[in-house]
Amino acid sequence: MGQKMDKGGFWTPGPPDIMSIAWNCRGLANPRAVNFFKELVQQVRPSLIFLSEILGKKKKIEKVCRTIHFADCFVVESHGQGGGFALLWKNPGAVEIKGSCNHYIDFEVVCDQIGRWRYTGFYGCPERYRRYESWELLRGLADESNLPWCVVGDFNEMMFAHEKRGGKPHPRGLLDCFTKTVSDCGLMDMGFVGNEFIWERSRGQYKWIHERLDRGLAN
């Protein structure tokens, strides 16, 4: 079962002795964000970390990687004002990168206890009119391997109406498309412990909106 983080993210246990973090860090240029990240690593003690919206360059992530004493990292640099991903792993030789783009990093994990398994750190298109692109990517990834598979990240979409509070009801068609995609890929939600509604807008006002956009899926 996944455990939610207060500042927007998700961590989940994998096979024995493996813990992973997926966090939409919204940039690591701010020293406060870096300090929060270090504290999080000390608390959770993960073996794998997927960061989205790093808003920075590879050298910055490499420096952070050394600071937390991880073996290596793989970075998809941001372009312009947003985006960018990073994967950091603690044990040398534990990760094999299989593919990446501006919406995911797909890799295999070498685990002594159960053998190989697959992990995809995912970031869905934030624009509604491009949601179908996210689901096409996810379906394409599902066809590439028969390994045990975990997909974790910020999907920028919800599966059910109760995953939103405040504002107008979310379009039923968008909910159904995401739910069908998850089913078509043979995935299921791993659940969570903690605050369901990580994304919010207009906090403390009558237009206060909460949504669950982060989740962990597995086959």
Side-chain angles (χ1 to χ4, degrees):
M1 180 173 288
Q3 168 73 50
K4 299 294 289 187
M5 295 189 294
D6 289 340
K7 293 197 175 184
F10 198 101
W11 71 75
T12 177
D17 301 325
I18 294 181
M19 182 74 74
S20 67
I21 290 176
W23 182 34
N24 186 332
C25 61
R26 301 179 180 89
L28 282 179
N30 188 327
R32 291 180 61 186
V34 175
N35 289 335
F36 173 80
F37 178 60
K38 291 177 182 178
E39 292 174 4
L40 182 63
V41 171
Q42 290 178 352
Q43 176 187 353
V44 181
R45 299 185 182 278
S47 300
L48 301 167
I49 301 172
F50 172 71
L51 301 174
S52 57
E53 291 198 76
I54 58 173
L55 309 181
K57 299 299 182 180
K58 183 178 180 179
K59 288 185 177 180
K60 175 64 176 180
I61 301 301
E62 289 176 336
K63 182 178 179 180
V64 172
C65 184
R66 292 191 297 269
T67 299
I68 62 173
H69 306 294
F70 268 45
D72 208 346
C73 63
F74 178 86
V75 179
V76 178
E77 291 188 343
S78 58
H79 298 283
Q81 297 296 317
F85 306 96
L87 172 68
L88 300 83
W89 58 95
K90 188 172 185 178
N91 302 320
V95 165
E96 292 185 10
I97 304 296
K98 294 299 180 179
S100 65
C101 70
N102 58 348
H103 288 286
Y104 67 79
I105 298 177
D106 185 47
F107 57 98
E108 293 180 7
V109 182
V110 181
C111 179
D112 292 337
Q113 294 90 342
I114 66 167
R116 288 179 178 269
W117 59 287
R118 185 184 180 202
Y119 187 121
T120 303
F122 197 86
Y123 182 78
C125 296
E127 304 89 354
R128 285 187 177 182
Y129 71 91
R130 295 183 59 206
R131 291 287 200 276
Y132 74 94
E133 297 179 27
S134 296
W135 313 149
E136 287 179 354
L137 282 173
L138 202 55
R139 286 190 172 94
L141 288 167
D143 292 334
E144 292 181 6
S145 174
N146 293 320
L147 289 174
W149 187 28
C150 178
V151 189
V152 180
D154 182 351
F155 292 83
N156 274 310
E157 186 54 273
M158 296 166 286
M159 294 178 65
F160 307 104
H162 65 76
E163 293 178 342
K164 178 179 180 179
R165 290 181 181 173
K168 297 180 180 179
H170 200 66
R172 185 79 238 177
L174 293 177
L175 299 174
D176 290 345
C177 284
F178 186 21
T179 302
K180 186 176 187 306
T181 300
V182 171
S183 177
D184 290 346
C185 293
L187 297 166
M188 60 184 299
D189 194 301
M190 291 191 292
F192 65 93
V193 176
N195 179 22
E196 178 180 9
F197 303 101
I198 293 300
W199 184 89
E200 63 179 10
R201 183 172 61 194
S202 302
R203 182 179 179 86
Q205 303 177 29
Y206 76 97
K207 292 183 178 180
W208 194 0
I209 297 174
H210 311 253
E211 295 180 351
R212 180 190 179 193
L213 304 180
D214 304 75
R215 68 180 68 239
L217 305 170
N219 64 7

